[in-house]
Amino acid sequence: MQQQWNIVATEQPPEWFIEAVKHYTPNKSGHYAAQLLWQRGIKDKSQLANFVNPQAYQPASPFEFGEEMLLAIRRLKQARDEKEKIVIWGDFDADGITSTAVLWDGLGQFFPHNTQLNYYIPNRITESHGLNNQGIDRLAKQACKLIVTCDTGSTNISEIIYAKEQGIDIIVTDHHTLPAERPPVTAIINPRYLPNTHPLFHLSGVAVAYKLVEALYQSLPKVPQQALEDLLDLVAVGLIADLVQLSGDCRYLAQLGIQRLQEDFKQLPATRRRPGVGRLLELCQKSGDRPTDISFGLGPRINAVSRIQGDASFCVELLTSRDEKRVNKLAEETELANSRRKSLQKDVAQQVTQKLAQLDLSTTSVIVLEDPQWAVGVLGLVAGQVAQETGRPTILLSTEGVGIEDKGDKGDKGDKG
């Protein structure tokens, strides 16, 4: 299957735009940067300022999610007034883990940790993504009355109905594909309901979770003791690790978050707000000052835990705890998981290459390979590599489970760090 490339014609920006760009690159001519920005559709000074300087950008209000955000805030206020037990239901990838951490820190300003507020991360190997009835049963026995999902839940219709039968309300915060009809939830905050030109449309799960916390901060401004901006480093990690389009509010949040990440890393370990994040950056020899420190450093390491161990719950503690000794131990465990992931991925990739050599790809439109010894946690990554190299949808199977990666699917992010 031969790939076709469409090369965009080079467009020369006007001189006034080059001069405007040069203001931000005083030691350079500004010509190449201006040409790149111009071809990206940035063609006036206000757009340029918003793109380069987050302080000039006006972010969208969390209440642009409309009635759904109002319903969510109303239900959270009810839970606060009636002292109901709440559980954050996250996901096990980097976006889901950071989403859970944002809600754990953010909602934790309004609900006491471990008594009224808890979190649940499903096991990648035994439970897979999304809500499941077994987990809902466990939470019902703990007298949970409200589940707030993050980075998951939009299409779990039967599980949502089951939770309601157990007396549990659900607020969904997510960014994945929407069901044909609105699910029977208390509220669903998902940017896919917005026009695709809206500055919030490309938010990942962690950014949607942040917007819910932002709305609660604005609704109960006298309650929080922690600054809302302290969550932005986690938002940047989830946004960049999830490979979403960094435009609109996504770019704004990522820019501010990277600044917070870098500022915290410069502190002595004992004085860092997030010592676990700092230690993880040290282990991958990064400083947190650029997006690649996340995409090739933090993101793959967080993702590796569920791939190797199944249960990634401790990653939330790694990102949020102030106990330096404890998070150092968790960071070391995360680094070991990533080393194991790379080793397994390399082994499986070599075996897949050997099997591919025995196929006639000219007559193969879909690649399906199986081996009983393959580690299921890395199959999606290897399948993604094969799909990219061959231009064919690829399915890799193991008796331990199933790993599927279609060509062009971002379900398994490029863990190369």
Side-chain angles (χ1 to χ4, degrees), residues 56 71 82 97 132 135 140 147 160 169 188 324 397:
L71 291 170
E82 299 181 7
I97 292 293
N132 63 74
I147 291 173
I160 290 167
D169 290 336
I188 177 168
E324 186 182 357
L397 306 174

Side-chain angles (χ1 to χ4, degrees), residues 178-357:
L178 296 170
E181 297 182 5
R182 182 187 184 278
V185 292
T186 297
I188 177 168
I189 303 168
N190 188 321
R192 296 291 184 110
Y193 283 114
L194 300 170
N196 60 12
T197 56
H198 196 282
L200 297 177
F201 181 79
H202 293 290
L203 296 186
S204 73
V206 68
V208 178
Y210 174 82
K211 284 296 183 181
L212 174 63
V213 175
E214 182 181 16
L216 194 57
Y217 266 60
Q218 292 181 11
S219 301
L220 298 171
K222 295 181 180 179
V223 176
Q225 300 300 307
Q226 175 186 345
L228 179 66
E229 292 74 19
D230 285 350
L231 301 174
L232 288 171
D233 46 5
L234 296 177
V235 176
V237 173
L239 273 169
I240 293 169
D242 212 54
L243 305 179
V244 297
Q245 181 175 310
L246 292 180
S247 60
D249 275 42
C250 290
R251 179 177 174 82
Y252 166 77
L253 293 170
Q255 285 174 308
L256 293 182
I258 289 174
Q259 289 178 9
R260 303 289 288 190
L261 196 65
Q262 185 180 18
E263 290 166 3
D264 197 43
F265 183 75
K266 289 179 179 178
Q267 304 299 314
L268 294 174
T271 61
R272 288 172 180 161
R273 286 183 303 104
R274 303 197 186 280
V277 176
R279 180 57 185 150
L280 208 54
L281 283 169
E282 289 171 351
L283 288 171
C284 58
Q285 300 180 333
K286 308 290 184 183
S287 61
D289 64 342
R290 61 193 65 199
T292 51
D293 290 0
I294 296 170
S295 56
F296 293 100
L298 297 177
R301 282 159 175 78
I302 296 170
N303 284 331
V305 175
S306 65
R307 295 187 187 283
I308 300 304
Q309 301 184 9
D311 182 6
S313 297
F314 77 74
C315 289
V316 179
E317 184 180 1
L318 170 64
L319 299 182
T320 59
S321 173
R322 300 291 179 90
D323 184 337
E324 186 182 357
K325 184 177 179 180
R326 171 65 175 162
V327 297
N328 283 350
K329 180 178 180 297
L330 297 179
E332 297 283 352
E333 189 173 342
T334 302
E335 184 68 17
L336 285 173
N338 191 53
S339 296
R340 178 64 175 155
R341 185 270 305 171
K342 287 192 284 188
S343 176
L344 287 173
Q345 186 176 345
K346 181 180 179 181
D347 290 345
V348 173
Q350 289 175 343
Q351 295 171 40
V352 168
T353 299
Q354 292 172 0
K355 288 179 180 288
L356 285 174

Side-chain angles (χ1 to χ4, degrees), residues 27 47 84 91 175 191 364 397:
N27 298 323
Q47 282 182 303
E84 294 176 315
D91 197 18
H175 71 122
T364 303
L397 306 174

